Amino acid sequence: MATRYSLGAAINAGLRAAMAHDDKVVVMGEDVGTLGGVFRVTDGLAAEFGADRVVDTPLAESGIVGTAIGLALRGYRPVCEIQFDGFVYPAFDQIVSQLAKMRARSQGRLALPIVIRIPVGGGIGAVEHHSESNEAYFAHTAGLRVVSCANPDDAFHMIQQAIASDDPVVFYEPKRRYWDKGEVEDEPTRSLHEAAVLRDGSDCTLVAHGPTVATALAAADAAREDGFSVGVVDLRTLSPLDVATLRKVAAESHRVVVVHEASTFLGIGAEIAATITESCFYDLEAPVLRVGAYNLPYPPAHLESDFLPDVDRVLEAVETSLNF
């Protein structure tokens, strides 16, 4: 029987289920315990599982991830919360130089089952360092798995699947969608690394992830009113990519537009465009196009609505593709 949750509450429920299932799962981060997290995603977990399993840490992201690596080597499954996307950089060396490489360094003898939760993207009127989309850094790093949820059902199930993984997982949460509500099924309908075709389209397909999935769906609705069949794919997994699904939708619709909040230069969209072009060039009627943020530092909050991709910019790209 499905239960209705907001996206943030679904992650909370997924964390609670994982902690109840395995007493080696520990949650750690800044203000995750007593406060329940700045977005209240860990609300109530400290009262239920105790301060030994829901740990308020110092303001030291490198220390959070470094401690998690030590715990994982001792058999725990730490879930680290990075309070905002732009705060992850002090932990970059721990993630890229240690966490990502331990399995290969030990020739497979050591695994680090760590989840790093990162609220990502803009749209909440925040100050500098609170609205970044840095997924390409980690998707580029071999040894990490990178996923991005976009709705409550995926939020609930994907966080549990990520915790169950024996490889480190960077888990992106679209912070401006934390309050969006939806049905959560009892059982997952997809594996962690499987894209979701949310809507079939014969004229063009929009490929999005995280916060831009809702934007893509709204654009597809608007295109339908103009008589065009535009499909939508929720990537869900950024590393590894679900290449089979991308090939399928490209072959069926012949036109693809990738939508993400990150800047387009050397972003996930560039990798998807290259992958589709290499795999099914002769199926395409137009180049794979990208819609993303501008290649600039994230602007002050009062300008972010002009900076982030919206329905109009997505529709403009669809029209360009159709007219190619």
Side-chain angles (χ1 to χ4, degrees):
M1 179 176 176
T3 305
R4 191 167 179 81
Y5 285 113
S6 67
L7 190 147
I11 298 172
N12 178 283
L15 289 169
R16 178 174 283 104
M19 296 182 77
H21 174 72
D22 183 352
D23 62 9
K24 292 296 186 182
V25 177
V26 296
V27 172
M28 52 197 300
E30 299 157 5
D31 297 322
V32 299
T34 302
L35 181 65
V38 293
F39 294 104
R40 303 298 186 269
V41 172
T42 55
D43 190 34
L45 298 181
E48 184 169 347
F49 297 101
D52 289 341
R53 295 186 62 195
V54 184
V55 182
D56 277 325
T57 67
L59 305 183
E61 288 77 11
S62 180
I64 295 170
V65 176
T67 302
I69 291 172
L71 285 167
L73 289 171
R74 299 290 292 178
Y76 290 87
R77 290 183 178 271
V79 181
C80 305
E81 177 179 299
I82 302 297
Q83 203 167 68
F84 284 91
D85 33 49
F87 297 0
V88 74
Y89 304 122
F92 194 82
D93 181 55
Q94 290 284 1
I95 296 172
V96 172
S97 301
Q98 310 301 333
L99 180 61
K101 294 178 170 56
M102 190 65 77
R103 183 184 286 277
R105 182 185 297 157
S106 65
Q107 298 182 325
R109 288 190 286 270
L110 296 175
L112 294 179
I114 296 172
V115 175
I116 300 176
R117 295 180 38 240
I118 304 179
V120 69
I124 64 167
V127 297
E128 189 179 28
H129 307 310
H130 291 65
S131 302
E132 300 188 20
S133 299
N134 45 29
E135 63 269 24
Y137 291 140
F138 301 112
H140 179 72
T141 302
L144 298 177
R145 297 176 183 267
V146 182
V147 300
S148 174
C149 64
N151 60 68
D153 190 58
D154 274 346
F156 177 73
H157 292 295
M158 287 173 68
I159 189 65
Q160 295 179 74
Q161 292 168 326
I163 292 169
S165 171
D166 286 333
D167 289 320
V169 178
V170 178
F171 189 91
Y172 279 106
E173 303 168 5
K175 68 169 81 75
R176 66 167 152 149
R177 309 294 183 195
Y178 269 142
W179 302 272
D180 291 358
K181 293 184 177 179
E183 300 293 319
V184 173
E185 301 294 335
D186 292 337
E187 298 294 331
T189 55
R190 297 178 183 84
S191 67
L192 183 61
H193 296 297
E194 183 180 355
V197 180
L198 302 181
R199 191 170 300 176
D200 292 319
S202 57
D203 292 323
C204 182
T205 297
L206 301 174
V207 176
H209 72 86
T212 55
V213 172
T215 308
L217 287 168
D221 288 340
R224 183 166 54 193
E225 293 178 2
D226 291 333
F228 296 104
S229 172
V230 175
V232 177
V233 171
D234 178 0
L235 278 174
R236 300 176 77 251
T237 173
L238 309 182
S239 180
L241 281 172
D242 182 354
V243 176
T245 296
L246 293 173
R247 285 177 181 152
K248 179 176 181 292
V249 298
E252 290 174 350
S253 66
H254 311 297
R255 295 176 178 84
V256 175
V257 174
V258 187
V259 186
H260 53 57
E261 280 197 9
S263 300
T264 53
F265 184 72
L266 293 177
I268 294 296
E271 179 62 28
I272 293 171
T275 299
I276 291 175
T277 303
E278 290 169 356
S279 302
C280 40
F281 178 78
Y282 292 105
D283 291 313
L284 295 175
E285 297 287 347
V288 178
L289 301 181
R290 295 166 290 160
V291 180
Y294 300 108
N295 298 317
L296 297 167
Y298 200 86
H302 69 279
L303 295 175
E304 67 179 352
S305 62
D306 297 319
F307 186 74
L308 296 171
D310 59 13
V311 170
D312 288 342
R313 286 177 58 197
V314 175
L315 289 174
E316 184 179 353
V318 170
E319 183 178 4
T320 300
S321 182
L322 290 170
N323 291 333
F324 185 81

